[in-house]
Short mmCIF file of all heavy atoms in Angstrom, two decimals:
data_model
loop_
_atom_site.label_atom_id
_atom_site.label_comp_id
_atom_site.label_asym_id
_atom_site.label_seq_id
_atom_site.Cartn_x
_atom_site.Cartn_y
_atom_site.Cartn_z
N ILE A 257 -3.81 84.30 3.97
CA ILE A 257 -5.24 84.20 3.71
C ILE A 257 -5.84 83.06 4.51
O ILE A 257 -6.87 83.24 5.19
CB ILE A 257 -5.51 84.02 2.20
CG1 ILE A 257 -5.02 85.25 1.41
CG2 ILE A 257 -7.00 83.84 1.97
CD1 ILE A 257 -3.59 85.21 0.96
N THR A 258 -5.21 81.90 4.51
CA THR A 258 -5.73 80.75 5.26
C THR A 258 -5.82 81.05 6.75
O THR A 258 -6.87 80.85 7.35
CB THR A 258 -4.90 79.49 4.98
OG1 THR A 258 -5.09 79.10 3.61
CG2 THR A 258 -5.30 78.34 5.89
N PRO A 259 -4.75 81.53 7.40
CA PRO A 259 -4.91 81.83 8.84
C PRO A 259 -5.92 82.92 9.11
O PRO A 259 -6.66 82.85 10.10
CB PRO A 259 -3.49 82.23 9.28
CG PRO A 259 -2.74 82.48 8.04
CD PRO A 259 -3.35 81.65 6.96
N GLY A 260 -5.98 83.95 8.26
CA GLY A 260 -6.97 85.00 8.48
C GLY A 260 -8.38 84.46 8.41
O GLY A 260 -9.25 84.83 9.20
N MET A 261 -8.63 83.56 7.46
CA MET A 261 -9.95 82.96 7.33
C MET A 261 -10.29 82.08 8.54
O MET A 261 -11.42 82.10 9.04
CB MET A 261 -10.03 82.16 6.04
CG MET A 261 -10.11 83.03 4.79
SD MET A 261 -10.31 82.03 3.30
CE MET A 261 -10.87 83.27 2.13
N LEU A 262 -9.32 81.30 9.00
CA LEU A 262 -9.58 80.45 10.17
C LEU A 262 -9.81 81.28 11.42
O LEU A 262 -10.63 80.92 12.28
CB LEU A 262 -8.41 79.49 10.37
CG LEU A 262 -8.22 78.43 9.29
CD1 LEU A 262 -7.00 77.58 9.58
CD2 LEU A 262 -9.47 77.54 9.16
N MET A 263 -9.11 82.39 11.55
CA MET A 263 -9.35 83.30 12.68
C MET A 263 -10.80 83.78 12.67
O MET A 263 -11.46 83.81 13.71
CB MET A 263 -8.38 84.48 12.62
CG MET A 263 -6.94 84.11 12.97
SD MET A 263 -5.74 85.41 12.53
CE MET A 263 -6.22 86.71 13.70
N ALA A 264 -11.28 84.14 11.48
CA ALA A 264 -12.67 84.61 11.37
C ALA A 264 -13.65 83.50 11.72
O ALA A 264 -14.64 83.74 12.42
CB ALA A 264 -12.93 85.10 9.94
N ALA A 265 -13.39 82.29 11.25
CA ALA A 265 -14.29 81.17 11.51
C ALA A 265 -14.44 80.92 13.01
O ALA A 265 -15.55 80.71 13.51
CB ALA A 265 -13.79 79.91 10.82
N LEU A 266 -13.33 80.96 13.72
CA LEU A 266 -13.38 80.69 15.16
C LEU A 266 -13.94 81.87 15.93
O LEU A 266 -14.58 81.71 16.97
CB LEU A 266 -11.99 80.31 15.67
CG LEU A 266 -11.60 78.89 15.25
CD1 LEU A 266 -10.10 78.68 15.30
CD2 LEU A 266 -12.31 77.87 16.14
N ARG A 267 -13.73 83.06 15.42
CA ARG A 267 -14.30 84.26 16.07
C ARG A 267 -15.82 84.25 15.95
O ARG A 267 -16.54 84.51 16.91
CB ARG A 267 -13.71 85.51 15.40
CG ARG A 267 -14.13 86.81 16.05
CD ARG A 267 -13.60 88.00 15.23
NE ARG A 267 -12.15 88.00 15.13
CZ ARG A 267 -11.46 88.84 14.36
NH1 ARG A 267 -12.11 89.73 13.61
NH2 ARG A 267 -10.15 88.80 14.32
N LEU A 268 -16.31 83.92 14.76
CA LEU A 268 -17.75 83.92 14.51
C LEU A 268 -18.44 82.70 15.13
O LEU A 268 -19.57 82.77 15.59
CB LEU A 268 -18.01 83.93 13.00
CG LEU A 268 -17.66 85.22 12.27
CD1 LEU A 268 -17.49 84.97 10.78
CD2 LEU A 268 -18.73 86.28 12.52
N ASN A 269 -17.75 81.56 15.06
CA ASN A 269 -18.24 80.29 15.61
C ASN A 269 -19.61 79.90 15.06
O ASN A 269 -20.50 79.48 15.80
CB ASN A 269 -18.28 80.32 17.15
CG ASN A 269 -18.26 78.92 17.74
OD1 ASN A 269 -17.62 78.02 17.20
ND2 ASN A 269 -18.96 78.72 18.85
N ILE A 270 -19.75 80.04 13.76
CA ILE A 270 -20.90 79.45 13.05
C ILE A 270 -20.34 78.31 12.20
O ILE A 270 -19.15 78.33 11.86
CB ILE A 270 -21.66 80.48 12.19
CG1 ILE A 270 -20.76 81.07 11.10
CG2 ILE A 270 -22.26 81.58 13.06
CD1 ILE A 270 -21.46 82.03 10.15
N PRO A 271 -21.11 77.31 11.83
CA PRO A 271 -20.57 76.18 11.07
C PRO A 271 -19.75 76.66 9.88
O PRO A 271 -20.22 77.48 9.08
CB PRO A 271 -21.82 75.41 10.64
CG PRO A 271 -22.80 75.69 11.74
CD PRO A 271 -22.56 77.11 12.13
N ALA A 272 -18.54 76.14 9.76
CA ALA A 272 -17.63 76.63 8.72
C ALA A 272 -16.59 75.58 8.38
O ALA A 272 -16.14 74.82 9.23
CB ALA A 272 -16.93 77.92 9.19
N LEU A 273 -16.19 75.56 7.11
CA LEU A 273 -15.08 74.74 6.64
C LEU A 273 -14.23 75.55 5.67
O LEU A 273 -14.73 76.47 5.01
CB LEU A 273 -15.60 73.48 5.92
CG LEU A 273 -16.19 72.37 6.79
CD1 LEU A 273 -16.79 71.29 5.91
CD2 LEU A 273 -15.12 71.79 7.72
N LEU A 274 -12.97 75.18 5.59
CA LEU A 274 -12.05 75.82 4.65
C LEU A 274 -11.69 74.84 3.54
O LEU A 274 -11.52 73.65 3.79
CB LEU A 274 -10.78 76.27 5.39
CG LEU A 274 -9.72 76.98 4.52
CD1 LEU A 274 -9.17 78.20 5.25
CD2 LEU A 274 -8.58 76.03 4.16
N ILE A 275 -11.59 75.33 2.33
CA ILE A 275 -11.08 74.56 1.20
C ILE A 275 -10.02 75.40 0.50
O ILE A 275 -10.28 76.55 0.13
CB ILE A 275 -12.20 74.13 0.21
CG1 ILE A 275 -11.63 73.48 -1.06
CG2 ILE A 275 -13.08 75.30 -0.17
CD1 ILE A 275 -11.07 72.12 -0.88
N SER A 276 -8.82 74.86 0.36
CA SER A 276 -7.75 75.61 -0.31
C SER A 276 -7.72 75.28 -1.79
O SER A 276 -8.35 74.33 -2.25
CB SER A 276 -6.40 75.27 0.32
OG SER A 276 -5.93 74.02 -0.13
N GLY A 277 -6.96 76.07 -2.54
CA GLY A 277 -6.80 75.82 -3.96
C GLY A 277 -5.83 74.70 -4.27
O GLY A 277 -5.76 74.24 -5.41
N GLY A 278 -5.05 74.26 -3.25
CA GLY A 278 -4.14 73.15 -3.44
C GLY A 278 -2.75 73.57 -3.90
O GLY A 278 -2.53 74.69 -4.37
N PRO A 279 -1.78 72.65 -3.76
CA PRO A 279 -0.39 72.97 -4.09
C PRO A 279 -0.10 72.97 -5.59
O PRO A 279 -0.67 72.19 -6.36
CB PRO A 279 0.40 71.86 -3.39
CG PRO A 279 -0.55 70.71 -3.33
CD PRO A 279 -1.91 71.32 -3.14
N MET A 280 0.80 73.83 -5.97
CA MET A 280 1.35 73.88 -7.33
C MET A 280 2.21 72.64 -7.58
O MET A 280 2.79 72.09 -6.66
CB MET A 280 2.21 75.15 -7.44
CG MET A 280 2.86 75.42 -8.77
SD MET A 280 3.98 76.86 -8.68
CE MET A 280 2.81 78.22 -8.50
N LEU A 281 2.30 72.20 -8.81
CA LEU A 281 3.25 71.15 -9.16
C LEU A 281 4.66 71.73 -9.22
O LEU A 281 4.85 72.92 -9.47
CB LEU A 281 2.89 70.53 -10.51
CG LEU A 281 1.51 69.86 -10.62
CD1 LEU A 281 1.37 69.22 -12.01
CD2 LEU A 281 1.29 68.84 -9.53
N THR A 282 5.66 70.89 -8.98
CA THR A 282 7.05 71.35 -9.10
C THR A 282 7.39 71.54 -10.57
O THR A 282 6.82 70.90 -11.46
CB THR A 282 8.03 70.33 -8.49
OG1 THR A 282 7.81 69.05 -9.09
CG2 THR A 282 7.85 70.23 -6.99
N GLY A 283 8.37 72.41 -10.82
CA GLY A 283 8.88 72.60 -12.16
C GLY A 283 10.02 71.64 -12.44
O GLY A 283 10.49 70.93 -11.55
N SER A 284 10.48 71.64 -13.68
CA SER A 284 11.62 70.80 -14.07
C SER A 284 12.61 71.67 -14.84
O SER A 284 12.27 72.29 -15.84
CB SER A 284 11.16 69.63 -14.93
OG SER A 284 12.26 68.83 -15.33
N PHE A 285 13.85 71.68 -14.35
CA PHE A 285 14.91 72.48 -14.97
C PHE A 285 16.12 71.59 -15.20
O PHE A 285 16.79 71.18 -14.26
CB PHE A 285 15.28 73.65 -14.05
CG PHE A 285 16.45 74.48 -14.52
CD1 PHE A 285 16.34 75.27 -15.64
CD2 PHE A 285 17.65 74.46 -13.81
CE1 PHE A 285 17.42 76.04 -16.08
CE2 PHE A 285 18.72 75.24 -14.23
CZ PHE A 285 18.61 76.02 -15.36
N ARG A 286 16.33 71.23 -16.44
CA ARG A 286 17.47 70.40 -16.82
C ARG A 286 17.53 69.11 -16.00
O ARG A 286 18.58 68.70 -15.50
CB ARG A 286 18.77 71.18 -16.70
CG ARG A 286 18.78 72.43 -17.58
CD ARG A 286 20.07 73.20 -17.56
NE ARG A 286 19.98 74.36 -18.44
CZ ARG A 286 20.99 75.20 -18.69
NH1 ARG A 286 22.18 74.99 -18.14
NH2 ARG A 286 20.83 76.24 -19.51
N GLY A 287 16.35 68.50 -15.85
CA GLY A 287 16.27 67.22 -15.17
C GLY A 287 16.16 67.29 -13.66
O GLY A 287 16.08 66.26 -12.99
N GLN A 288 16.11 68.50 -13.11
CA GLN A 288 16.02 68.69 -11.66
C GLN A 288 14.68 69.31 -11.27
O GLN A 288 14.16 70.17 -11.98
CB GLN A 288 17.15 69.60 -11.17
CG GLN A 288 18.55 69.09 -11.45
CD GLN A 288 18.88 67.84 -10.65
OE1 GLN A 288 18.56 67.74 -9.46
NE2 GLN A 288 19.54 66.88 -11.29
N LYS A 289 14.12 68.88 -10.12
CA LYS A 289 12.93 69.53 -9.59
C LYS A 289 13.28 70.95 -9.16
O LYS A 289 14.31 71.16 -8.51
CB LYS A 289 12.41 68.79 -8.35
CG LYS A 289 11.76 67.46 -8.59
CD LYS A 289 11.32 66.89 -7.24
CE LYS A 289 10.85 65.47 -7.35
NZ LYS A 289 10.55 64.90 -6.01
N VAL A 290 12.43 71.89 -9.51
CA VAL A 290 12.65 73.28 -9.10
C VAL A 290 11.33 73.90 -8.66
O VAL A 290 10.25 73.37 -8.93
CB VAL A 290 13.27 74.13 -10.24
CG1 VAL A 290 14.69 73.71 -10.52
CG2 VAL A 290 12.42 74.05 -11.51
N ASN A 291 11.44 75.01 -7.97
CA ASN A 291 10.29 75.75 -7.47
C ASN A 291 10.68 77.20 -7.33
O ASN A 291 11.80 77.60 -7.72
CB ASN A 291 9.82 75.15 -6.14
CG ASN A 291 10.93 75.11 -5.11
OD1 ASN A 291 11.30 76.13 -4.55
ND2 ASN A 291 11.50 73.92 -4.87
N LEU A 292 9.79 78.00 -6.78
CA LEU A 292 10.05 79.44 -6.66
C LEU A 292 11.35 79.72 -5.90
O LEU A 292 12.11 80.63 -6.26
CB LEU A 292 8.88 80.12 -5.96
CG LEU A 292 9.03 81.63 -5.73
CD1 LEU A 292 9.04 82.38 -7.05
CD2 LEU A 292 7.93 82.16 -4.83
N ILE A 293 11.63 78.95 -4.86
CA ILE A 293 12.83 79.20 -4.04
C ILE A 293 14.09 78.98 -4.87
O ILE A 293 15.11 79.65 -4.67
CB ILE A 293 12.83 78.30 -2.80
CG1 ILE A 293 11.50 78.42 -2.05
CG2 ILE A 293 13.99 78.66 -1.88
CD1 ILE A 293 11.08 79.83 -1.70
N SER A 294 14.02 78.07 -5.83
CA SER A 294 15.17 77.85 -6.71
C SER A 294 15.55 79.14 -7.44
O SER A 294 16.74 79.41 -7.68
CB SER A 294 14.84 76.76 -7.74
OG SER A 294 14.35 75.59 -7.13
N VAL A 295 14.55 79.94 -7.78
CA VAL A 295 14.82 81.19 -8.50
C VAL A 295 15.44 82.21 -7.55
O VAL A 295 16.40 82.91 -7.92
CB VAL A 295 13.52 81.74 -9.12
CG1 VAL A 295 13.84 82.96 -9.99
CG2 VAL A 295 12.81 80.68 -9.94
N PHE A 296 14.91 82.32 -6.32
CA PHE A 296 15.51 83.22 -5.34
C PHE A 296 16.97 82.86 -5.11
O PHE A 296 17.84 83.73 -5.06
CB PHE A 296 14.74 83.16 -4.01
CG PHE A 296 13.54 84.07 -3.95
CD1 PHE A 296 12.27 83.58 -4.22
CD2 PHE A 296 13.67 85.40 -3.62
CE1 PHE A 296 11.16 84.41 -4.15
CE2 PHE A 296 12.57 86.24 -3.55
CZ PHE A 296 11.31 85.74 -3.82
N GLU A 297 17.26 81.56 -4.96
CA GLU A 297 18.63 81.12 -4.72
C GLU A 297 19.50 81.31 -5.96
O GLU A 297 20.72 81.50 -5.85
CB GLU A 297 18.64 79.66 -4.27
CG GLU A 297 18.01 79.47 -2.89
CD GLU A 297 17.89 78.02 -2.47
OE1 GLU A 297 18.29 77.14 -3.27
OE2 GLU A 297 17.42 77.76 -1.35
N GLY A 298 18.86 81.30 -7.13
CA GLY A 298 19.60 81.49 -8.37
C GLY A 298 20.27 82.85 -8.46
O GLY A 298 21.33 82.99 -9.09
N ILE A 299 19.67 83.85 -7.84
CA ILE A 299 20.28 85.20 -7.85
C ILE A 299 21.65 85.15 -7.20
O ILE A 299 22.64 85.69 -7.72
CB ILE A 299 19.36 86.20 -7.13
CG1 ILE A 299 18.02 86.32 -7.86
CG2 ILE A 299 20.04 87.58 -7.03
CD1 ILE A 299 16.95 87.06 -7.05
N GLY A 300 21.74 84.48 -6.03
CA GLY A 300 23.02 84.34 -5.35
C GLY A 300 24.02 83.53 -6.17
O GLY A 300 25.22 83.82 -6.17
N LYS A 301 23.50 82.50 -6.87
CA LYS A 301 24.39 81.68 -7.70
C LYS A 301 24.99 82.48 -8.85
O LYS A 301 26.15 82.30 -9.22
CB LYS A 301 23.64 80.46 -8.22
CG LYS A 301 23.31 79.44 -7.14
CD LYS A 301 22.57 78.24 -7.71
CE LYS A 301 22.28 77.21 -6.62
NZ LYS A 301 21.55 76.04 -7.15
N VAL A 302 24.19 83.40 -9.41
CA VAL A 302 24.71 84.26 -10.47
C VAL A 302 25.81 85.15 -9.92
O VAL A 302 26.89 85.30 -10.52
CB VAL A 302 23.58 85.11 -11.10
CG1 VAL A 302 24.15 86.18 -12.02
CG2 VAL A 302 22.61 84.22 -11.87
N ARG A 303 25.57 85.74 -8.75
CA ARG A 303 26.59 86.61 -8.14
C ARG A 303 27.85 85.82 -7.76
O ARG A 303 28.95 86.37 -7.78
CB ARG A 303 26.02 87.30 -6.91
CG ARG A 303 24.97 88.35 -7.21
CD ARG A 303 25.55 89.51 -8.02
NE ARG A 303 24.54 90.47 -8.39
CZ ARG A 303 24.23 91.55 -7.66
NH1 ARG A 303 24.85 91.77 -6.52
NH2 ARG A 303 23.30 92.39 -8.08
N ALA A 304 27.68 84.54 -7.41
CA ALA A 304 28.82 83.71 -7.03
C ALA A 304 29.52 83.10 -8.24
O ALA A 304 30.53 82.40 -8.09
CB ALA A 304 28.37 82.61 -6.08
N GLY A 305 28.98 83.31 -9.44
CA GLY A 305 29.59 82.78 -10.64
C GLY A 305 29.26 81.33 -10.93
O GLY A 305 29.87 80.71 -11.80
N GLU A 306 28.26 80.78 -10.22
CA GLU A 306 27.88 79.38 -10.43
C GLU A 306 26.76 79.22 -11.46
O GLU A 306 26.41 78.10 -11.83
CB GLU A 306 27.43 78.76 -9.10
CG GLU A 306 28.53 78.66 -8.06
CD GLU A 306 28.06 78.02 -6.78
OE1 GLU A 306 26.95 77.43 -6.78
OE2 GLU A 306 28.79 78.09 -5.77
N MET A 307 26.19 80.31 -11.90
CA MET A 307 25.11 80.29 -12.89
C MET A 307 25.18 81.60 -13.66
O MET A 307 25.54 82.64 -13.08
CB MET A 307 23.76 80.15 -12.16
CG MET A 307 22.54 80.18 -13.05
SD MET A 307 20.97 80.09 -12.11
CE MET A 307 20.89 78.34 -11.77
N ASP A 308 24.88 81.55 -14.96
CA ASP A 308 24.86 82.82 -15.70
C ASP A 308 23.42 83.32 -15.82
O ASP A 308 22.47 82.61 -15.50
CB ASP A 308 25.53 82.69 -17.06
CG ASP A 308 24.86 81.66 -17.97
OD1 ASP A 308 23.61 81.58 -17.97
OD2 ASP A 308 25.58 80.95 -18.70
N GLU A 309 23.28 84.52 -16.30
CA GLU A 309 21.95 85.15 -16.34
C GLU A 309 21.02 84.47 -17.32
O GLU A 309 19.80 84.46 -17.12
CB GLU A 309 22.09 86.64 -16.65
CG GLU A 309 22.73 87.43 -15.51
CD GLU A 309 22.62 88.93 -15.68
OE1 GLU A 309 21.56 89.40 -16.16
OE2 GLU A 309 23.58 89.64 -15.35
#
Side-chain angles (χ1 to χ4, degrees):
I257 297 89
T258 293
M261 286 184 164
L262 293 177
M263 288 167 67
L266 285 159
R267 185 186 300 173
L268 290 160
N269 202 35
I270 61 176
L273 286 174
L274 180 136
I275 172 72
S276 77
M280 181 186 290
L281 299 184
T282 54
S284 179
F285 175 69
R286 301 183 179 184
Q288 300 292 318
K289 288 180 189 174
V290 291
N291 55 75
L292 179 66
I293 308 308
S294 308
V295 186
F296 275 97
E297 292 175 359
I299 297 168
K301 289 181 179 180
V302 170
R303 291 296 176 92
E306 295 181 12
M307 177 183 281
D308 61 38
E309 291 191 38

